[in-house]
Amino acid sequence: MPRARSELSQCALAERAGTSQSAVARLEPGGVQPSVDTLQRLLAAAGFTLRFELSPAPVFGRETRVLGLDWLIHVKRAAGRPKDLEVIAELEALREKTKRSRVEEG
């Protein structure tokens, strides 16, 4: 988390970004999706820059599966349900296995 890496409290980050501590608290668990503008302001207040990168997306193959697994793991973590912890561990293991098989073939 950028705020923690910057060693800022929620209040300090909120003050620097021109928002409220409660807004920062709602965003941190991942349940609320901030606008790009809000995200840029918060990151800048913590000393970070938001960058976007445009690159071709693979259509088939292991890269697609790894990206899909990354997304699914993110969604499960954001949900924060205890019953998802075992599922997350299984998805992470599958992701690593998929990455290793890509390296071995490549």
Side-chain angles (χ1 to χ4, degrees), residues 13-51:
L13 178 63
E15 186 175 316
R16 285 183 180 189
T19 189
S20 66
Q21 178 273 330
S22 61
V24 172
R26 284 192 306 271
L27 292 171
E28 284 189 348
V32 176
Q33 297 296 317
S35 68
V36 172
D37 180 59
T38 299
L39 185 57
Q40 286 177 318
R41 275 195 350 266
L42 289 167
L43 289 172
F48 292 87
T49 301
L50 179 63
R51 294 187 321 179

Side-chain angles (χ1 to χ4, degrees), residues 72-92:
L72 189 54
I73 291 166
H74 171 76
V75 168
K76 291 289 187 184
R77 279 194 182 126
R81 293 183 297 243
K83 67 180 181 180
D84 287 336
L85 293 177
E86 187 175 315
V87 173
I88 291 169
E90 291 173 8
L91 291 170
E92 288 173 335

Side-chain angles (χ1 to χ4, degrees), residues 52-58:
F52 295 95
E53 180 180 332
L54 181 63
S55 60

